[in-house]
Amino acid sequence: MIPSKPEHAGTVYVETYGCQMNVSDSELMLGKLAAHGYEAVDTPDGADVILVNTCAIRDHAEQRVLGRLGELKRNMKPGAIVGVTGCMAQRLGPKLLDRAKHVSLVIGPDGYRALPALIEAARRGERTIATTFDLEEHYEDFQPRRFDKVKAWIPVQRGCDYRCTYCIVPTTRGPERSRALADVVREVEATVDEGMSEVVLLGQTVNSYHDGRHDFADLVRAVGAVPGVRRLRFTSPHPNDFGDRVIDALSTVDAVCEHVHLPMQSGSTRILKRMLRRYTREGYFDCVARLRAAIPGLALTTDVIVGFPGETDEDFDETLSAVREIGFADGFTFKFSPRDGTPATRMPAELTVPDAVASERLAELVATIRSQSRAANMQQLGQRYEVLVEREARRGGDLVQTRTRDFKTVLIPGDASMLGQYLTVEITGTTGSTFTGRVVRERQPLPMAG
Ligand code: 5AD
Ligand code: SF4
């Protein structure tokens, strides 16, 4: 049966904050709304429905959204429906409705199935909060409307069962649950049919994936075996979930790229313990060594928090020395942000690190990571890499942004017609963080099977 085309229900604009999981959720929401007759637009001006898909990980992220909601109120079309979705919606619930009178929908990460009905209710003047967790909800029947034409974000797990003491995610996204392997594989096959050749498996601790029958090793093998998948990435793993089976799968599946984002958070065992990260400095180093032994040419990136309660100068020095010894290709660095309700906020007040000290540490950490990656990047001049053309370069002109398997960004001359192509480039220059290159030899298409 051919489904009848839904009537035009209006235009919808979705603005996304935070992590890739949120990007993926926005793709699901837009897909669901498209199936109900909504047309996606890429500006809030004039949109009938505006959804702000939010992040709660740090106070700064929430403040940005609150500012943005104020701005939208001043500029939106009269009568437009405004909804707040995602982690901040889950965390603040009714407080958001009190605070922003023009918001009529507050929907947490497990509530998107009801979006069309809730928008209808909002049109009748109702204001709704939908923040119940649904441990069965994987949006399996949704057709995501993908923003990216080259790589597909594939959620494989929702929620988190770790309880890192600084982190709000277990509160906002609920307990960990994995999609069935067969459902993930089906989605990957569909994305290949749409012309994509890179997939990124998403989960809060993605390598703890387990659907009751299959673990992350099985998942990596199954996705890597889908014909047409040339690049396979995953984010973010937890160091403790890299068992031998998983590492073995990573080392033997050809599509697995030589890049792992491995959040370290701190290089001090004392602080790691307070963070309830469940590994020591040595344990983290050991994980790095096992990954490097299994995946030649592996690039590592990381997340680090400074200013966690009780962090002394010595603890911070251990973080710096870990960063130096490991030699990360890049790192995301954060000042600790207390989140209401997390155990870190209940630590004794005298452990609080003054903001000025945290800022100083952050600056030193950023400088350390930067100088190290700059030095490593200078060594790349003249090297050749396979790159995938991802998008037109932001700075415009006649450049496209491409990526190596180990996650280096290389700008090369070109235009939108090249998106999705694999090319071989020679690195001709570096700004310190990104590269410029020139095409040296275009890859021949792979021969057809059969
Ligand atoms: N304060 C600062 N950084 C945080 N992160 C998570 N929670 C907090 C917090 N309360 C960081 C961690 C995590 C990344 C996504 O955000 O480094 O890996
Ligand atoms: Fe937060 Fe820790 Fe879970 Fe990551 S593993 S989402 S940092 S609680």
Side-chain angles (χ1 to χ4, degrees):
M1 195 182 81
I2 302 167
S4 58
K5 203 168 187 282
E7 278 180 38
H8 193 264
T11 55
V12 56
Y13 167 74
V14 178
E15 189 161 295
T16 310
Y17 291 82
C19 63
Q20 283 94 342
M21 192 59 88
N22 260 14
V23 174
S24 165
D25 280 351
S26 291
E27 294 182 339
L28 287 167
M29 285 192 257
L30 279 171
K32 178 72 175 171
L33 291 173
H36 281 75
Y38 287 86
E39 180 200 345
V41 289
D42 50 19
T43 150
D45 311 331
D48 298 309
V49 179
I50 299 173
L51 299 176
V52 184
N53 194 12
T54 61
C55 170
I57 200 115
R58 282 170 293 276
D59 183 56
H60 177 71
E62 292 199 348
Q63 294 307 326
R64 265 182 72 203
V65 166
L66 292 174
R68 181 62 175 146
L69 283 174
E71 213 172 87
L72 288 169
K73 183 179 176 184
R74 290 190 291 280
N75 300 324
M76 70 193 205
K77 150 172 153 179
I81 305 293
V82 179
V84 179
T85 63
C87 289
M88 202 175 154
Q90 186 74 34
R91 191 179 91 76
L92 294 176
K95 288 193 200 126
L96 266 173
L97 288 189
D98 289 347
R99 215 188 140 134
K101 297 286 181 230
H102 59 305
V103 170
S104 48
L105 298 172
V106 174
I107 310 179
D110 285 351
Y112 304 147
R113 184 168 295 277
L115 254 178
L118 296 182
I119 292 172
E120 282 312 309
R123 286 193 161 135
R124 295 191 300 270
E126 288 176 35
R127 303 178 86 206
T128 321
I129 303 166
T131 50
T132 311
F133 287 131
D134 179 350
L135 301 192
E136 304 295 315
E137 185 58 278
H138 284 291
Y139 303 116
E140 240 19 285
D141 53 326
F142 285 34
Q143 293 286 326
R145 186 180 176 279
R146 298 188 193 279
F147 300 117
D148 203 303
K149 297 282 173 274
V150 172
K151 81 174 124 197
W153 307 111
I154 311 281
V156 304
Q157 176 197 57
R158 301 182 72 84
C160 179
D161 276 349
Y162 281 88
R163 287 284 178 276
C164 304
T165 52
Y166 51 79
C167 188
I168 194 72
V169 168
T171 312
T172 60
R173 286 191 167 269
E176 175 183 328
R177 60 228 113 115
S178 294
R179 281 173 83 182
L181 181 140
D183 291 330
V184 175
V185 169
R186 203 169 305 128
E187 183 174 354
V188 170
E189 286 167 348
T191 64
V192 172
D193 284 347
E194 286 164 35
M196 284 183 249
S197 61
E198 175 169 329
V199 295
V200 188
L201 308 180
L202 297 179
Q204 235 62 53
T205 56
V206 67
N207 51 340
S208 71
Y209 170 92
H210 206 294
D211 72 353
R213 288 176 58 201
H214 306 286
D215 67 0
F216 191 63
D218 296 327
L219 184 72
V220 165
R221 288 184 200 279
V223 170
V226 173
V229 171
R230 256 177 95 164
R231 290 187 171 190
L232 172 51
R233 304 183 189 276
F234 54 91
T235 197
S236 284
H238 191 286
N240 287 12
D241 294 306
F242 277 120
D244 289 343
R245 275 176 54 80
V246 169
I247 291 196
D248 191 52
L250 298 180
S251 73
T252 49
V253 173
D254 288 342
V256 170
C257 290
E258 292 75 27
H259 168 238
V260 173
H261 181 70
L262 188 66
M264 179 176 80
Q265 313 301 3
S266 169
S268 155
T269 297
R270 222 173 59 84
I271 295 300
L272 288 168
K273 198 163 182 188
R274 278 220 174 105
M275 289 176 163
L276 199 61
R277 283 296 285 175
R278 305 165 203 249
Y279 53 81
T280 58
R281 175 189 174 94
E282 292 70 31
Y284 185 86
F285 274 65
D286 182 56
C287 181
V288 166
R290 288 165 59 237
L291 284 168
R292 282 189 163 149
I295 310 171
L298 180 70
L300 287 168
T301 53
T302 198
D303 292 340
V304 182
I305 298 174
V306 299
F308 188 76
E311 184 186 66
T312 61
D313 285 343
E314 290 71 32
D315 293 317
F316 178 62
D317 282 346
E318 292 212 51
T319 294
L320 284 181
S321 74
V323 163
R324 286 200 193 95
E325 282 176 46
I326 290 167
F328 292 108
D330 204 355
F332 296 93
T333 49
F334 311 103
K335 239 197 288 186
F336 168 66
S337 170
R339 310 309 292 133
D340 273 351
T342 58
T345 58
R346 297 191 287 275
M347 292 178 180
E350 61 269 23
L351 295 184
T352 303
V353 174
D355 189 60
V357 174
S359 296
E360 229 172 80
R361 289 181 186 164
L362 187 70
E364 194 173 350
L365 180 63
V366 169
T368 303
I369 295 174
R370 235 181 240 162
S371 75
Q372 213 177 16
S373 69
R374 178 180 295 264
N377 288 348
M378 297 303 278
Q379 306 295 314
Q380 302 301 317
L381 301 184
Q383 299 286 331
R384 290 182 176 196
Y385 287 98
E386 175 202 85
V387 296
L388 169 61
V389 182
E390 289 190 333
R391 63 161 79 103
E392 289 177 273
R394 281 216 185 80
R395 70 181 203 220
D398 41 11
L399 293 173
V400 286
Q401 179 182 306
T402 74
R403 212 172 277 279
T404 64
R405 285 174 60 96
D406 67 356
F407 216 62
K408 292 179 176 42
T409 305
V410 186
L411 298 177
I412 63 169
D415 58 43
S417 69
M418 292 158 66
L419 297 194
Q421 286 181 13
Y422 287 88
L423 305 164
T424 303
V425 300
E426 184 176 294
I427 302 292
T428 52
T430 176
T431 60
S433 57
T434 61
F435 297 90
T436 51
R438 66 179 183 89
V439 179
V440 289
R441 176 175 54 83
E442 300 214 0
R443 276 246 174 157
Q444 296 304 309
L446 292 173
M448 294 285 286

